[in-house]
Amino acid sequence: MKNNFRLKLHKYLFALFMLLAASLVQAQQNAKVAVASEDQLIKAVGEPAQLDIRVAGENSIRVTLKPISYKDNFPFNPGVAERNYPSPVISLRKGSEVINKQVGKLQVQVRFNPLAVLVKNAKGEKIQEIIFEQDGNMSFQLNEAVLGMGEGGPKPEAGVNWRNLPIEFDRRGRLHKMQPRWQSDAYGSRNPAAVLIGTEGWGIFVATPWVQVDLQNKNKGVFIPWKPTGKENIPQTQTNQGLNQGKGLPPIDKIIPGLYDFFVFDAHDPSKFMKDFSVVTGPAAMPPKWSLGYMQSHRTLDDDTKMLGIVDSFRAKKIPLDAVIYLGTGFTPKGWNKKQPSFEFNPEVFKHDPKTVIETIHASNTKFVVHMVPWDRDKLTTLHGSIPAKADEILDASHIQNYWQEHVSLINTGVDAFWPDEGDWFNLFERIKRHELYYKGHLSTQPNIRPWSLHRNGFPGVAQWGGWVWSGDTESSWKTLEGQVAVGINYSLSIAPFWGSDIGGFYANAEKTGELYARWYQFGAFCASFRSHGRTWMTALPWGWGLNDMGPREQNNSNTAPADEKRNILQSEMNNQTIEPITKKYTELHYQLMPYTYTLAWEARNTGLPLMRALWLHYPNDPLVKNMGSEYLWGRDMLIAPVFEKGATTREVYLPKGDWYDWWTNTKQTGGQTIKREVDLSTMPIYVRAGAIIPFDPIRQYTAEVVNEPTTLKVYPGADGQFTLYEDDGISQDYLKGKATWTHITWNDKAKKLTIELGAPKGATSQIPDRTFKVQLLPEGTIKTVHFTGKRMEVNW
């Protein structure tokens, strides 16, 4: 009996002990969880913070890490288009467990200690992993080539000759200080943007804060928030702008410590990245069609008779022309206006009434564009405001509506567009505001006329304001020409679709020869901004190298340049009669391809794809193109290989997979290989993809010229293909109302059949055409003529 009692007692005590032990363990675990939860408060620079993740586009997300004290959903940045964003799918202030959620089409994982965001697509393919480091930096994974990051390249170290440095296309390998600046080397002006495109399939756009980008580590990139030094508040004028170390950066009062606002894009299909990037930064405004034609820039002006004479020379020589651009006085000894900044015509140049002179130029079907610089900080403080002004805005001299009013008299006199130069002392927000000024301002004066302006300063977001950018004042050199190819591709990937350079280079020197000009001109014919400009400006005329003399030698904006070969063109290069036929040939080609190019402008607005495209955009799985910045695609179907070696007789060209046709000979080449194309000075290699349909016009002398011959549809067999030809009036805002014609053309290679039908995008209705096409099947060149009235039709071979 006693033994049974003792046995039961032992079992009871043991059970009680185990219960107490379990309770103690549970209490300890609960305590650990409580401690862990307390330790896993999300923080930004040591302060409690909130992490929000929401849908940004079809294949992108927006990630915001902000101090709890910051009450807005997002920080303001004019580089991000204003639109409504959905509520966050993930919103956290603390946590310890791994969180997995679907955000739109993407799979997002959030981990703690350290805080990290892993993003995958619907296929489970890794896009990117972002880690918020304790020091306030933000790191990401790095493997293959990184493209984008705005315009320009590295500034050489003191004593280093930039001509000896390799061209930077892949952005890896250095710390990018991201300092906007004027620069006169192979890259031109620097317009950085933290828009990184990893060729293995990811994109990141850090909208806030302004960051430096460290890509020195082979496998890890780091965003480093910019910290003001205190020197940024130095009063800025045109004379002391070099003192301001923060010029071009965001306003200091907008910097919130610990605040991150960025976008992550799935770029496994690069076209989807470009579409979402355009949604985030604002779709590109359609340019006036004339802006895609050739523009001739002028510097030192003798008088208005000389101005008219140059336009007459274009028409007499039958070299197509759409616009003339005139530099301002002070930037040249004698320009269109009184000394810059001025809105008054220069009486030393205009011997006749300016309005009459401009009307005469208009009568020659040529637009009149003038160069302007902003008032310095003595008059303009911070560009601000809207057009039209909102009720609570202060209408001072720096309000863009008031500032625009100074331009109105020029518009009324007949000026068609503006070249707003300089502004390097403006902060980032003002730079974008200036694009808005010239877009909305012009529309406020001429409501149904598309604005156009050309700037040296650009950033994501300018496309929605019709922003065009050129690469600034570059040196004339073969190295510069090579560098401009890479600059244009990266700019087009990460800022906006419309870009160009000064054909021939700005700073004339002994390297500037007729040969260099001809090669640069060929490249310029396949840039959105097709414009010659530079010092010793007579050599920037298409026929300038055939003259006996190079014209005014400019040095420091005077006509007293020393006869130093290192700074001046060699007189022995003149009387070169071989250059004018080449420039005429490529100008004519540019205009004949205008139906194709103008459609690319519409594609830029509709799809986000730029005119000038990295080969990677259409061949993302080809490892050989991921770091290729020496050639590019002009749209989907044309491959351009600029020649940038002096005295070149051959040019190596890489052709991606598929068949390609030599534009000049129609010879078919097999892709997936590098070929050696023989070249003479009149030949720049151009190849067309098998399956392409290229609309090709008769030669026009200006884009709006009515011609009697029909458009030819050049068909390149060997693969199925399609092309949607876009047409509108080329000048009005009616395209926003859907007033356009979309002609969808498909080629069935097996059936040897071309189908033509209306093909308006969803939500739009094509205007009914009544036109004739010539359909040319290459390489044989067989032509069939068809009449298209909007009804689906087939052309068979």
Side-chain angles (χ1 to χ4, degrees):
M1 182 70 71
K2 288 181 180 182
N3 289 337
N4 288 341
F5 174 78
R6 287 175 180 174
L7 181 61
K8 289 180 180 180
L9 180 61
H10 287 161
K11 288 183 178 179
Y12 172 77
L13 291 174
F14 178 76
L16 181 61
F17 171 78
M18 294 299 294
L19 180 62
L20 290 172
S23 298
L24 180 60
V25 170
Q26 184 63 48
Q28 290 175 335
Q29 290 178 343
N30 290 341
K32 288 181 179 179
V33 170
V35 171
S37 297
E38 184 68 25
D39 289 344
Q40 293 304 310
L41 284 173
I42 294 176
K43 293 184 177 181
V45 294
E47 299 297 324
Q50 178 171 317
L51 177 70
D52 290 337
I53 304 177
R54 50 170 51 84
V55 172
E58 287 290 324
N59 296 275
S60 57
I61 59 174
R62 186 173 191 174
V63 182
T64 310
L65 178 67
K66 57 186 179 181
I68 291 175
S69 58
Y70 186 82
K71 300 304 180 185
D72 294 334
N73 283 333
F74 320 109
F76 172 72
N77 186 323
V80 177
E82 293 186 22
R83 64 185 179 96
N84 292 324
Y85 278 84
S87 299
V89 176
I90 299 174
S91 186
L92 303 168
R93 291 190 177 183
K94 62 180 179 179
S96 59
E97 300 295 328
V98 174
I99 294 173
N100 290 286
K101 283 195 176 182
Q102 183 168 327
V103 183
K105 292 183 177 180
L106 306 184
Q107 301 293 330
V108 177
Q109 181 183 95
V110 179
R111 301 192 311 275
F112 300 87
N113 195 28
L115 182 65
V117 177
L118 173 65
V119 187
K120 296 182 179 181
N121 62 20
K123 296 180 180 179
E125 297 170 313
K126 183 177 180 178
I127 298 172
Q128 188 52 269
E129 182 174 28
I130 310 293
I131 298 175
F132 297 93
E133 308 285 359
Q134 290 185 353
D135 58 5
N137 295 341
M138 188 170 73
S139 64
F140 57 97
Q141 293 191 350
L142 202 59
N143 293 303
E144 296 180 355
V146 175
L147 308 182
M149 296 188 68
E151 182 191 50
K155 186 175 182 179
E157 299 295 332
V160 176
N161 188 336
W162 52 264
R163 288 178 172 84
N164 298 327
L165 298 177
I167 294 298
E168 179 183 85
F169 181 58
D170 180 358
R171 299 298 199 174
R172 293 176 299 172
R174 70 179 179 92
L175 170 64
H176 296 260
K177 296 183 179 179
M178 308 296 281
Q179 174 68 60
R181 61 176 176 266
W182 172 88
Q183 189 173 319
S184 61
D185 63 10
Y187 296 104
S189 293
R190 183 79 171 101
N191 286 297
V195 181
L196 284 66
I197 303 105
T199 55
E200 69 261 38
W202 57 267
I204 300 175
F205 171 28
V206 180
T208 301
W210 187 268
V211 290
Q212 294 186 340
V213 185
D214 188 351
L215 300 181
Q216 297 176 97
N217 189 303
K218 185 178 180 181
N219 301 116
K220 176 182 176 182
V222 181
F223 295 113
I224 306 169
W226 171 66
K227 297 178 178 62
T229 64
K231 297 179 180 180
E232 293 78 14
N233 291 319
I234 296 174
Q236 303 174 46
T237 68
Q238 286 175 307
T239 56
N240 74 5
Q241 58 177 301
L243 298 175
N244 181 11
Q245 300 302 309
K247 62 181 180 179
L249 302 176
I252 295 174
D253 60 357
K254 302 296 183 183
I255 297 173
I256 309 297
L259 180 60
Y260 268 108
D261 184 38
F262 62 95
F263 299 82
V264 180
F265 303 87
D266 182 7
H268 286 88
D269 180 344
S271 65
K272 293 180 179 178
F273 157 73
M274 295 305 305
K275 174 62 176 178
D276 273 14
F277 182 64
S278 73
V279 169
V280 166
T281 60
M286 278 295 292
K289 194 171 187 178
W290 64 262
S291 67
L292 289 163
Y294 178 71
M295 299 188 192
Q296 182 61 57
S297 182
H298 302 62
R299 288 182 62 82
T300 299
L301 303 175
D302 294 330
D303 54 31
D304 49 19
T305 301
K306 183 69 173 289
M307 295 166 67
L308 295 173
I310 290 175
V311 175
D312 290 342
S313 293
F314 272 94
R315 297 304 178 220
K317 291 173 175 291
K318 293 191 178 299
I319 299 176
L321 172 74
D322 260 276
V324 284
I325 306 178
Y326 300 107
L327 205 68
T329 304
F331 286 65
T332 189
K334 198 164 63 171
W336 75 270
N337 59 351
K338 295 180 180 179
K339 189 173 182 180
Q340 290 279 34
S342 170
F343 294 87
E344 298 180 80
F345 289 94
N346 187 351
E348 293 185 32
V349 171
F350 288 89
K351 309 299 184 182
H352 305 87
D353 174 47
K355 186 175 181 67
T356 301
V357 174
I358 296 174
E359 286 174 349
T360 305
I361 290 176
H362 284 167
S364 295
N365 300 292
T366 307
K367 302 297 182 183
F368 190 94
V369 183
V370 296
H371 167 264
M372 289 299 306
V373 298
W375 297 107
D376 63 30
R377 289 298 196 189
D378 295 332
K379 182 168 183 178
L380 288 179
T381 53
T382 301
L383 283 179
H384 65 94
S386 306
I387 301 177
K390 298 177 182 178
D392 60 345
E393 293 178 352
I394 300 173
L395 287 168
D396 57 14
S398 297
H399 191 287
I400 62 172
Q401 179 169 291
N402 279 358
Y403 186 33
W404 170 255
Q405 291 305 309
E406 300 199 56
H407 299 72
V408 172
S409 63
L410 295 175
I411 297 291
N412 293 337
T413 306
V415 171
D416 296 287
F418 295 90
W419 174 16
D421 196 2
E422 288 203 332
D424 302 283
W425 56 89
F426 286 142
N427 68 46
L428 173 65
F429 289 9
E430 292 176 284
R431 291 177 177 211
I432 301 174
K433 184 62 68 175
R434 196 175 180 211
H435 282 263
E436 182 183 349
L437 182 162
Y438 280 96
Y439 184 77
K440 286 187 172 179
H442 206 141
L443 283 174
S444 71
T445 303
Q446 295 180 320
N448 201 31
I449 302 296
R450 294 180 205 173
W452 185 82
S453 59
L454 180 66
H455 300 247
R456 191 163 76 195
N457 305 126
F459 192 75
V462 302
Q464 63 184 319
W465 309 126
W468 286 50
V469 168
W470 100 101
S471 59
D473 301 341
T474 55
E475 290 274 1
S476 296
S477 75
W478 292 97
K479 185 75 168 185
T480 304
L481 174 54
E482 180 185 3
Q484 293 302 289
V485 181
V487 168
I489 298 171
N490 273 328
Y491 175 93
S492 300
L493 281 169
S494 55
I495 292 185
F498 301 107
W499 177 90
S501 64
D502 288 345
I503 291 177
F506 177 77
Y507 289 107
N509 54 40
E511 274 200 69
K512 188 173 185 180
T513 61
E515 180 191 1
L516 175 65
Y517 182 74
R519 290 302 191 193
W520 208 316
Y521 201 97
Q522 294 164 357
F523 166 58
F526 289 88
C527 294
S529 178
F530 182 26
R531 180 188 68 108
S532 285
H533 176 66
R535 285 188 180 171
T536 320
W537 80 272
M538 296 292 285
T539 60
L541 291 166
W543 60 86
W545 293 95
L547 301 174
N548 293 326
D549 187 81
M550 67 187 73
R553 283 78 156 166
E554 294 185 52
Q555 175 71 12
N556 296 327
N557 301 329
S558 72
N559 285 334
T560 59
D564 181 347
E565 286 186 2
K566 293 181 179 179
R567 302 197 61 81
N568 292 281
I569 301 170
L570 297 176
Q571 178 65 35
S572 61
E573 286 292 324
M574 305 310 294
N575 284 305
N576 186 342
Q577 304 302 320
T578 65
I579 305 304
E580 181 180 339
I582 295 172
T583 58
K584 183 177 182 180
K585 170 183 174 179
Y586 280 86
T587 312
E588 290 177 342
L589 175 60
H590 181 88
Y591 278 75
Q592 288 175 290
L593 286 168
M594 191 57 67
Y596 180 81
T597 300
Y598 193 65
T599 297
L600 298 186
W602 168 73
E603 287 184 7
R605 173 175 177 79
N606 191 55
T607 69
L609 287 167
L611 287 71
M612 189 178 187
R613 303 179 187 176
L615 269 66
W616 169 79
L617 276 178
H618 291 295
Y619 299 93
N621 297 319
D622 186 338
L624 296 181
V625 306
K626 294 184 177 185
N627 191 18
M628 188 170 289
S630 59
E631 59 187 70
Y632 59 97
L633 296 170
W634 187 243
R636 175 68 181 89
D637 296 323
M638 301 186 74
L639 186 150
I640 312 300
V643 178
F644 41 75
E645 291 185 4
K646 182 179 180 180
T649 57
T650 60
R651 168 59 152 102
E652 287 192 349
V653 182
Y654 177 73
L655 301 175
K657 185 178 179 180
D659 289 334
W660 294 84
Y661 289 84
D662 186 305
W663 173 264
W664 304 110
T665 66
N666 291 326
T667 303
K668 186 164 68 172
Q669 293 277 0
T670 301
Q673 64 170 331
T674 297
I675 64 169
K676 185 173 286 188
R677 173 61 157 92
E678 292 185 358
V679 297
D680 57 24
L681 186 55
S682 68
T683 305
M684 177 180 70
I686 301 172
Y687 287 86
V688 184
R689 183 179 64 89
I693 303 163
I694 306 292
F696 193 72
D697 264 1
I699 296 171
R700 284 181 166 85
Q701 296 305 307
Y702 52 94
T703 53
E705 182 180 15
V706 177
V707 293
N708 295 324
E709 288 295 311
T711 297
T712 298
L713 303 177
K714 291 178 173 287
V715 180
Y716 292 84
D720 292 342
Q722 60 177 340
F723 185 82
T724 299
L725 175 64
Y726 174 85
E727 299 166 295
D728 60 24
D729 63 22
I731 194 67
S732 79
Q733 294 291 89
D734 288 350
Y735 75 92
L736 296 172
K737 304 173 185 177
K739 292 185 178 180
T741 300
W742 292 266
T743 305
H744 189 59
I745 310 158
T746 57
W747 170 251
N748 184 318
D749 195 62
K750 184 177 181 180
K752 295 293 183 286
K753 178 174 66 178
L754 188 80
T755 303
I756 307 174
E757 58 191 330
L758 293 180
K762 186 177 181 180
T765 303
S766 266
Q767 294 182 309
I768 304 301
D770 187 353
R771 63 181 306 172
T772 298
F773 286 114
K774 287 183 178 180
V775 182
Q776 183 180 35
L777 185 64
L778 296 165
E780 295 84 358
T782 308
I783 293 177
K784 293 188 177 184
T785 301
V786 298
H787 186 215
F788 180 58
T789 60
K791 294 182 179 179
R792 187 177 187 274
M793 63 182 306
E794 295 179 353
V795 184
N796 294 285
W797 266 271

